[in-house]
Amino acid sequence: MGTRVRAMFGVRPTTGRESLPALPVALRRSELAQRYLAAEGSADHPHAGEAASVAVEEAIRAQAWWPADIWGHRALWHFEQAGMELEATRAARRIGDVRVGGGDPASGRRYYAEAISEARDIGAEREEGLAALGMGRAEMELRNVTTARRLGGIALDLLERSAAPSEEAAAARELRGEEKDVG
């Protein structure tokens, strides 16, 4: 059942888990982890999700894919618990980005598909476009060029309709490529 339908009936999203396992010791030392652990300890899902999202971005910048993946899943879980649909959609997309960045584009597609579906449910065209762009990049990594280019076109349409920043539309345009006459 879609997030929007669940929300209409007052049903909170479920992930099949009542709580998360303990944060790995290697990730507990940073200031970001301290903010996250404080929010997690008080079941403050919005703030825990935000702290985990900031940690994802920091890990991505450092190309630390294992921590980024752990933080991404924590952000996704907390945002789902809080019923923060747009933030959960973004977290799913970022997990896809992490998987592609870490060299596993096949598993990244699952998270992009989830983000596309959820973004469509809540009417978040820019987020849907970014997830389609990410999936297109994953498909290109997997050498599925035709699929990647189609996704680039879809992403471009969504990003232009949502008045996304020009660099996002340019990335979609580049992925889409141009048809050239042969012969």
Side-chain angles (χ1 to χ4, degrees), residues 22-36:
L23 185 66
V25 173
L27 300 181
R28 292 185 199 172
R29 295 187 182 104
S30 72
E31 182 181 325
L32 287 172
Q34 297 310 308
R35 286 195 304 247
Y36 168 78

Side-chain angles (χ1 to χ4, degrees), residues 124-143:
E125 284 188 334
R126 178 176 177 222
E127 198 57 45
E128 185 180 353
L130 290 172
L133 176 60
M135 184 173 298
R137 288 176 172 159
E139 292 293 344
M140 190 63 84
E141 289 281 324
L142 294 167
R143 295 179 171 45

Side-chain angles (χ1 to χ4, degrees), residues 8 13 15 22 55-56 58-59 65 80-81 83 92 103 106 135 143 145 148-149 161 169 175 178-179:
M8 286 173 33
T15 60
V56 168
E58 185 176 285
W65 305 116
E80 286 176 341
Q81 297 306 302
M135 184 173 298
R143 295 179 171 45
V145 177
R149 292 196 183 283
R161 277 201 318 247
L175 180 63
E178 293 185 26
E179 296 290 322

Side-chain angles (χ1 to χ4, degrees), residues 13 27 64 98 104 111 130 144 150 157 177 182-183:
L27 300 181
V98 166
D104 190 6
Y111 294 96
L130 290 172
N144 299 326
R150 280 191 199 128
D157 289 344
V182 179

